[in-house]
Amino acid sequence: MKLTTGSLARASSRRPWMTLGMWVVLIAIAGALSSMWLSDALTTDVDFTNEPEAKQALELVEDRFGREGVNEIFILRAEDATVEDESFRSYAAGVQAEVATLNGDVQGAVSYFDTQDPSMVSEDGRTALMFVTFVDDGDLTEHEEDVAAIRETGEVEGFETLSFGAVTLNNDFSTIAEEDLAKGETFGILIALIVLVAVFGAIVAGVVPLAMGIASIAVALGIVAVVGRFVDFSFFVTNMLTMMGLAVGIDYSLFIVSRYREERSHGHDKLEAIALAGNTASRAVFFSGMTVVLALIGMLIVPTTIFRSLAAGAIFVVLVSVLASLTLLPALLSLLGDKVNSLRVFRRKSAANVADSHRFWDGIAHRVMRRPVVSLVVVAGALLLAASSYLDINTGFSGVTTLSDETMSKRAFNALSADFSGGLDSPLEVVIDGDIDAPQVEAGIAEMRKLLAADGLFGPATVETNEAGDLTVVSAPVKADPSSAVATESIERIRGDYVPQAFGGVDGIEVLVGGDTAFSKDFFDLTDYYTPIVFVLVLGMSFVLLTVVFRSIVVPIKAIIMNLLSVGAAYGVLVLVNQNGFGADLLGFQQVESIEAWLPLFLFSVLFGLSMDYHVFLLSRIRERFDLTHDNTESVAYGLRTTGGLITGAALIMVAVFGGFAAGDLVMMQQFGFGLAVAVFLDATLVRSVLVPATMKLLGDRNWYLPSWLQWLPNINIEGDYHEAPPQVAVGEPALEVAS
């Protein structure tokens, strides 16, 4: 048997219980794997898979100093007492005693009362510091109970203990991400169900796509848990995966269920209707899913864990959604039959005869094509105007300062900033690989300390040399959020000016600038370098794919330009709202100084794939009609009226899902969800309903131009081999006679 989308649908529908049973087992196994391994697969760390300067510095320090622990700062605070008072000493001794009970988990600990170091106590004497290094076993969550126990021991009357470091940050970000996930799922699922019921007019038909989306998410999470045994995933890959799973899983099922209902209304029996939907809508879904995957593949070439893990998670859920749409959905439709139309809630025309029902979209298409130049100029101009705000974008990371004031990390950071340095836990590190005893090296270190002190952004620098005397680290705390723009900008100054001034002309050494802030700077530089490469790769693959599918070089060029317009407009609105604060309070967003550095590239890849879904779905109907009638104007109107309702419903579902996640507290999720929601909304409205018909009217038959030297390309039909006989009379306004 030839393996096609139609044959898969036919086989699944003829053995529905076996197919359903296999999916139930698969979902159960995935759920078990997720419960066992998923939490261990997630991390808040952003790492490189290549060797930028900051990573080289870290590896040198870890190798020659043996630093592989997890550092945590405990802030011991008193309401009235000072470190000289017996009550403070007794309180601190109790905290230290608790640390001592954690022998197997603690690598080392030191407090002000051990060293009497004045830099570890505040000027008023009411706050002291204790540094604890936990054993690095690769899982920060293993130390969360230890950190909590130390804090609880310090909760005595008149005193409080705060913690700041990798463990506390991981706990806070993970907790908020889980809360945002629950909120986004609830909101997204509720709105999606309402839209689906409105589109189908029946509760059962609305629930089926929702179930498909949830099943896809469950299986994809299991895959992440398994793959996470070998590679780390960003901690909010679950948020990303859930968003994409709900969006594409529901959308793909929406298209197929709609086609099945349409075929049943034409008199085909149940199994034949499923097979016909498999040959047509399922085929389009398969192609659409592959376009999303191709767009996401571009991010896999960026050598950072955040891009690769999020891209992999999104690819997993898209592939599972496609597989579920091709197998599980036909089985469910076979079991339900006409019961899929049960529990009707609206009295309305059947959604099946889309060619005879959507006068609204037919009217829009004809109105746009009546004045194509005006429509094109107005809408394209509006999108370009929205995109212009992107010129003011600042990119960075959402650090601890963007967290809620109630979180432990934010409270501790504010306390450190007030009495010490907010960047005490993640200092700048200038690593000198060479002989410390050389006079020129000693002079260079002294000069570097002077330069850092004069800079004003750094606290007092300290110098540490390993036992072998071949590696020296000059450390200086950053007097700002290490992820902030002012901090990351300083790295360029240090590398470009301070290092040459201090060590220029010194032979036999290598000087590297490391630390968390340097890692951020290297990440930004890497993203800037790979962005044009990913753009060219994704655009190139899309052009080739669309050229083959539609046998035209005009269609892919237009598709790319229009997709770039919607993506650019989404960028601009994102900057206008989230960075500049225009309407941020009204929408419940936090205004921040920068957009997440990874977001523009990631949004581009995701949005390009999703928008291509709608473009292919619309153009395939237009091309189908044009091949039969060779009437460009009526073919465009036919394509819009037969897909307008479904595309709008699918877009509303995506907007609801993405908007639900944008309503969370994490700034990165606010930006990501909002950017996706805006782009999908613009793409499904202005682009599909105005720009597509306007440009296709202006170009006429030239839309389908393919040079003679490309005629050898294969003829791929997205809609499959079956086509409903087209209506002979256009619906809505009469065909227009517009001068070409």
Side-chain angles (χ1 to χ4, degrees), residues 272 361 478 508 594 673 725:
E272 185 63 19
W361 296 106
V478 184
S594 61

Side-chain angles (χ1 to χ4, degrees), residues 386-444:
S388 64
S389 297
Y390 180 66
L391 299 175
D392 299 326
I393 191 171
N394 299 318
T395 55
F397 280 138
S398 297
V400 64
T401 55
T402 64
L403 294 178
S404 167
D405 290 339
E406 287 73 38
T407 60
M408 176 56 61
S409 296
K410 183 68 171 290
R411 291 172 59 198
F413 178 82
N414 289 338
L416 286 173
S417 299
D419 294 321
F420 303 95
S421 170
L424 200 62
D425 182 63
S426 50
L428 169 82
E429 293 186 336
V430 180
V431 180
I432 302 100
D433 182 10
D435 185 6
I436 183 62
D437 294 328
Q440 287 181 305
V441 175
E442 291 181 349

Side-chain angles (χ1 to χ4, degrees), residues 524-573:
F524 302 155
D525 291 344
L526 198 69
T527 302
D528 291 341
Y529 175 80
Y530 276 94
T531 293
I533 298 175
V534 174
F535 270 53
V536 170
L537 179 65
V538 172
L539 295 179
M541 289 191 298
S542 300
F543 178 82
V544 171
L545 200 59
L546 290 178
T547 299
V548 172
V549 168
F550 292 107
R551 295 184 61 79
S552 165
I553 63 170
V554 177
V555 166
I557 292 174
K558 287 195 310 172
I560 288 172
I561 292 174
M562 285 187 280
N563 285 345
L564 288 175
L565 277 175
S566 60
V567 171
Y571 284 170
V573 173

Side-chain angles (χ1 to χ4, degrees), residues 312-592:
I315 289 172
F316 292 156
V317 79
V318 170
L319 290 176
V320 173
S321 296
V322 170
L323 181 62
S325 299
L326 300 183
T327 57
L328 176 59
L329 184 55
L332 290 176
L333 291 176
S334 178
L335 293 173
L336 288 171
D338 290 337
K339 291 181 181 179
V340 75
N341 298 316
S342 299
L343 303 178
R344 289 190 174 275
V345 293
F346 298 117
R347 288 185 175 273
R348 50 171 291 175
K349 292 183 179 180
S350 171
N353 278 325
V354 290
D356 299 325
S357 59
H358 291 292
R359 296 178 181 273
F360 173 76
W361 296 106
D362 186 78
I364 287 180
H366 282 92
R367 289 186 180 92
V368 168
M369 288 187 289
R370 191 180 287 128
R371 298 179 179 84
V373 175
V374 174
S375 301
L376 177 62
V377 171
V378 170
V379 172
L383 292 175
L384 287 172
L385 181 63
S388 64
S389 297
Y390 180 66
L391 299 175
D392 299 326
I393 191 171
N394 299 318
T395 55
F397 280 138
S398 297
V400 64
T401 55
T402 64
L403 294 178
S404 167
D405 290 339
E406 287 73 38
T407 60
M408 176 56 61
S409 296
K410 183 68 171 290
R411 291 172 59 198
F413 178 82
N414 289 338
L416 286 173
S417 299
D419 294 321
F420 303 95
S421 170
L424 200 62
D425 182 63
S426 50
L428 169 82
E429 293 186 336
V430 180
V431 180
I432 302 100
D433 182 10
D435 185 6
I436 183 62
D437 294 328
Q440 287 181 305
V441 175
E442 291 181 349
I445 292 173
E447 179 64 18
M448 175 58 69
R449 297 182 70 179
K450 289 180 182 179
L451 291 170
L452 293 175
D455 187 276
L457 185 64
F458 305 97
T462 60
V463 179
E464 185 179 5
T465 303
N466 67 339
E467 293 183 2
D470 59 359
L471 192 73
T472 301
V473 178
V474 179
S475 301
V478 184
K479 296 179 180 178
D481 185 339
S483 299
S484 64
V486 66
T488 53
E489 288 170 1
S490 70
I491 300 301
E492 187 172 350
R493 186 165 63 248
I494 295 168
R495 288 173 174 170
D497 297 331
Y498 296 175
V499 170
Q501 288 181 43
F503 299 100
V506 180
D507 297 327
I509 65 168
E510 181 182 19
V511 181
L512 303 171
V513 178
D516 288 348
T517 303
F519 260 86
S520 297
K521 173 62 176 171
D522 287 343
F523 181 88
F524 302 155
D525 291 344
L526 198 69
T527 302
D528 291 341
Y529 175 80
Y530 276 94
T531 293
I533 298 175
V534 174
F535 270 53
V536 170
L537 179 65
V538 172
L539 295 179
M541 289 191 298
S542 300
F543 178 82
V544 171
L545 200 59
L546 290 178
T547 299
V548 172
V549 168
F550 292 107
R551 295 184 61 79
S552 165
I553 63 170
V554 177
V555 166
I557 292 174
K558 287 195 310 172
I560 288 172
I561 292 174
M562 285 187 280
N563 285 345
L564 288 175
L565 277 175
S566 60
V567 171
Y571 284 170
V573 173
L574 191 64
V575 171
L576 192 65
V577 174
N578 295 79
Q579 179 181 302
N580 298 340
F582 185 81
D585 291 339
L586 181 64
L587 295 171
F589 296 151
Q590 182 180 164
Q591 181 184 359
V592 292

Side-chain angles (χ1 to χ4, degrees), residues 6-30:
S7 65
L8 278 175
R10 187 176 289 105
S12 300
S13 62
R14 288 177 176 173
R15 299 175 180 81
W17 286 111
M18 184 178 73
T19 304
L20 180 61
M22 291 173 63
W23 272 95
V24 169
V25 171
L26 182 61
I27 292 171
I29 293 174

Side-chain angles (χ1 to χ4, degrees), residues 71 102 198 216 261 330 371 426 482 487 516 528 590 685 695 719:
N71 297 317
L102 307 172
S216 300
R261 282 158 50 101
R371 298 179 179 84
S426 50
D516 288 348
D528 291 341
Q590 182 180 164
T685 54
T695 56
E719 285 297 313

